[in-house]
Amino acid sequence: MFARGRSQAEVARELDVSRQSASRWHAGWQAEGARALQSRGPTGRRPKIPDAALKGIEEALLEGALAHGFATDVWTLDRIAVAIQGLTGVQLSNPSVWRLLRGRLGWSVQRPARQAKERDEEAIQHWVAHEWPRIKKGRARNRPGLSSSTNRASR
């Protein structure tokens, strides 16, 4: 943009950055050319878990918690942290596990449907087949309703 004769203010406005940033870029461009404007890569700390290990972690999670020695097949952040530590040797906190799942693997929260241990499927099917249609149909129309001073039909 600077090579095309654009001013620092125009560049700042178009890229929605501060004038100071545009001024710094312009000074770098004048001193070193386009090479000074190249990205220096991502900033911040490198992740503890390398990208190469992500596929193995995801495959392990897809195998299920039972396959990794847990009593139930429900993954929790604590359980995932234990599995990751077993696979990579890296110990992660629950927030770090959450960021890895959401940000790097693209996973979301999945909660199992809650059901009572005493659930009786046969009784439920009977109720749905016999009781629910009767309730849904409503009360019989040939019987008188309740008489009340607040009920419009009984006045």
Side-chain angles (χ1 to χ4, degrees), residues 15-79:
L15 297 178
D16 195 29
V17 296
S18 68
R19 285 185 171 201
Q20 291 85 353
S21 292
S23 176
R24 200 171 49 251
W25 296 342
H26 188 262
W29 174 73
Q30 283 184 323
E32 300 177 39
R35 191 172 72 76
L37 301 177
Q38 289 179 337
S39 172
R40 291 182 181 89
T43 60
R45 181 179 176 170
R46 292 186 194 275
K48 288 182 178 181
I49 305 292
D51 290 339
L54 293 179
K55 185 176 182 192
I57 291 170
E58 188 165 24
E59 288 172 357
L61 294 176
L62 290 172
E63 290 171 1
L66 288 173
H68 292 275
F70 296 106
T72 63
D73 207 21
V74 176
W75 282 115
T76 64
L77 292 177
D78 289 325
R79 289 179 175 188

Side-chain angles (χ1 to χ4, degrees), residues 3-149:
R4 287 187 246 134
R6 307 285 297 273
S7 72
Q8 294 175 21
E10 290 173 323
V11 170
R13 214 176 3 265
E14 189 168 327
L15 297 178
D16 195 29
V17 296
S18 68
R19 285 185 171 201
Q20 291 85 353
S21 292
S23 176
R24 200 171 49 251
W25 296 342
H26 188 262
W29 174 73
Q30 283 184 323
E32 300 177 39
R35 191 172 72 76
L37 301 177
Q38 289 179 337
S39 172
R40 291 182 181 89
T43 60
R45 181 179 176 170
R46 292 186 194 275
K48 288 182 178 181
I49 305 292
D51 290 339
L54 293 179
K55 185 176 182 192
I57 291 170
E58 188 165 24
E59 288 172 357
L61 294 176
L62 290 172
E63 290 171 1
L66 288 173
H68 292 275
F70 296 106
T72 63
D73 207 21
V74 176
W75 282 115
T76 64
L77 292 177
D78 289 325
R79 289 179 175 188
I80 294 170
V82 169
I84 289 173
Q85 187 171 6
L87 292 168
T88 65
V90 176
Q91 185 175 358
L92 295 177
S93 65
N94 284 354
S96 295
V97 170
W98 177 247
R99 282 190 298 271
L100 180 118
L101 291 173
R102 292 281 301 181
R104 297 181 67 197
L105 292 177
W107 285 35
S108 62
V109 175
Q110 305 290 312
R111 290 192 176 90
R114 292 184 176 260
Q115 292 183 348
K117 289 181 181 179
E118 303 85 11
R119 186 178 170 99
D120 183 355
E121 289 297 328
E122 223 175 271
I124 292 171
Q125 292 303 320
H126 179 269
W127 187 88
V128 169
H130 298 92
E131 298 298 318
W132 176 241
R134 182 183 59 78
I135 294 168
K136 190 174 177 184
K137 193 186 315 181
R139 66 180 177 83
R141 299 281 182 219
N142 58 353
R143 285 190 289 150
L146 294 174
S147 178
S148 168
S149 62

